[in-house]
Amino acid sequence: MSNLDPHAAIVVSDLVKSFGERRALDGISLEVRRGELFCLLGPNGGGKSTLFRILATLSLPDSGSAVIAGHDVMTDAPSVRARLGVVFQSPSLDGKLTILENLRCGGALYGLRGAELESRIRDAATALNLSDRLSDLVETLSGGLQRRAEIAKCLLIRPDVLLLDEPSTGLDPGARLDLWAALEDLRTKHGVTVLCTTHLMEEAARADRVGIVSAGKLVAIGTPEELTSALGGDVISLGVAKEIGADLLSKRITEKTGLPASVVEGEVRLESREAYNLAARIAGDFPGEISSLRIARPTLEDVFVARTGRLFADEHLEPDSRPAPKKKRH
Ligand code: ADP
Ligand code: MG
């Protein structure tokens, strides 16, 4: 792909990956720039973890390529691994050890020792605001602190790129905010490129850029502002009285207003830069045919709806890939 920036931290070109009949990735191309906090947003089952595992050199695509910090994940996995920190959805720390002991073990696995290891541990603990918690047993820490300790472990190799798969899973809203502040810091103060997957809109809205995936395809990419302002204004959602039906009402509204009204999950939706005036007009023009009316600033969810024609909800989940019941998903 000649139009992709050769200095990008991550370049993904036309990746395809199937599991039997199911195409988990259906030709995804995207690029993450150096020093960017990039969020891959998609519903459960959209293909995020499949892409994550390929980037983390844990799984091979059927076709296409992915290059991280100049190294191809398929032909040069060791060089990729040397530049990459990876935080998985499931915890990887030993709860019976302290943070410091976990970091020492992690560092030893990377071949670090002595004064060099201790200095890197200090740096990583400082970056994640953990310096005064190093002697705490991991199992006694809150979920948010545990996640930060995991990220600290990844930083020991001083990676160019940090990959995180749904890092806020199971965290309460306060811990999520802390985690995001830590990721923003890593990007700003330490120049680390961060690629993070999520199914939470509010989280993705804080990223520098967002790639939205659905059914293994990239359906939108850009800054959150670019994506939402590309919509035609505020979003009007109309509940429909049973008698008329959503299809007929949307057709009549389109005829009357000249604006494309669509039907999403039984509601009629349209976008307008004059949403309040327009909504009042529609309510007056179709008395008795509208059961509810909502006007909202466009969100990334609306971008998803506009690009896919579907609400943001779980996609194609196999029973064995559903989230484990004991893990809290928001
Ligand atoms: P996400 O991380 O966005 O929730 P995944 O990448 O885990 O999505 O899954 C994408 C699709 O691929 C889903 O339909 C899922 O059921 C399927 N899938 C993922 N991993 C496997 C696997 N190892 N075997 C069979 N199907 C899989
Ligand atoms: Mg996943």
Side-chain angles (χ1 to χ4, degrees):
M1 286 234 157
S2 54
N3 58 342
L4 289 174
D5 177 359
H7 303 295
I10 303 175
V11 181
V12 168
S13 306
D14 211 12
L15 278 186
V16 173
K17 173 88 181 176
S18 297
F19 298 102
E21 299 281 285
R22 163 109 340 116
R23 272 209 164 190
L25 296 180
D26 196 7
I28 285 203
S29 301
L30 60 85
E31 137 197 343
V32 178
R33 300 171 191 147
R34 280 183 207 273
E36 183 166 64
L37 176 45
F38 187 95
C39 219
L40 202 61
L41 170 70
N44 289 321
K48 304 180 298 295
S49 293
T50 304
L51 176 57
F52 177 92
R53 290 178 57 78
I54 292 171
L55 294 179
T57 75
L58 297 169
S59 155
L60 290 172
D62 301 338
S63 61
S65 70
V67 175
I68 297 188
H71 304 286
D72 189 307
V73 297
M74 288 163 81
T75 58
D76 195 5
S79 301
V80 172
R81 286 186 202 131
R83 310 279 10 113
L84 197 63
V86 182
V87 180
F88 296 98
Q89 248 174 309
S90 47
S92 71
L93 298 180
D94 187 332
K96 301 284 176 205
L97 300 180
T98 65
I99 295 184
L100 182 60
E101 288 163 342
N102 268 287
L103 294 181
R104 283 191 177 137
C105 289
L109 287 177
Y110 299 131
L112 297 165
R113 59 174 60 84
E116 176 65 17
L117 174 58
E118 295 306 315
S119 125
R120 289 191 184 212
I121 288 176
R122 273 198 307 278
D123 290 351
T126 308
L128 274 304
N129 207 2
L130 289 168
S131 302
D132 55 352
R133 309 302 293 260
L134 283 173
S135 51
D136 289 11
L137 275 185
V138 164
E139 67 184 6
T140 66
L141 301 174
S142 69
L145 278 168
Q146 289 190 12
R147 208 56 52 88
R148 271 156 49 197
E150 288 193 42
I151 298 174
K153 191 169 96 176
C154 292
L155 291 189
L156 295 175
I157 62 160
R158 302 208 167 126
D160 293 330
V161 176
L162 185 63
L163 299 181
L164 307 99
D165 198 11
E166 307 232 14
S168 61
T169 299
L171 300 188
D172 60 48
R176 250 186 235 152
L177 288 179
D178 282 356
L179 176 69
W180 265 88
L183 296 180
E184 284 166 359
D185 252 21
L186 285 179
R187 177 234 8 221
T188 310
K189 295 193 192 145
H190 303 268
V192 181
T193 304
V194 181
L195 175 105
C196 158
T197 73
T198 185
H199 65 281
L200 302 172
M201 318 280 164
E202 325 81 79
E203 205 161 85
R206 297 187 55 168
D208 297 328
R209 285 196 311 143
V210 180
I212 302 182
V213 291
S214 168
K217 287 186 178 350
L218 187 77
V219 297
I221 186 166
T223 68
E225 293 73 18
E226 283 166 358
L227 294 176
T228 49
S229 61
L231 298 178
D234 289 345
V235 178
I236 304 173
S237 307
L238 303 168
V240 183
K242 271 208 191 77
E243 299 70 44
I244 175 161
D247 288 330
L248 185 54
L249 182 61
S250 78
K251 192 161 157 275
R252 291 212 188 135
I253 290 177
T254 300
E255 282 164 9
K256 185 98 188 168
T257 63
L259 292 170
S262 57
V263 177
V264 180
E265 310 275 320
E267 287 197 335
V268 174
R269 292 170 69 105
L270 64 169
E271 296 153 10
S272 166
R273 308 218 180 267
E274 301 274 332
Y276 285 87
N277 294 338
L278 179 66
R281 261 190 14 239
I282 292 174
D285 287 344
F286 298 93
E289 293 174 5
I290 294 167
S291 62
S292 69
L293 190 158
R294 256 184 0 260
I295 299 176
R297 305 295 309 276
T299 63
L300 291 173
E301 180 153 27
D302 297 308
V303 176
F304 185 89
V305 171
R307 299 292 173 100
T308 65
R310 291 194 308 273
L311 289 182
F312 194 91
D314 291 359
E315 294 181 341
H316 311 307
L317 283 176
E318 309 299 349
D320 63 355
S321 71
R322 285 183 189 281
K326 63 179 187 316
K327 275 194 191 150
K328 229 159 113 196
R329 313 275 299 208
H330 299 275

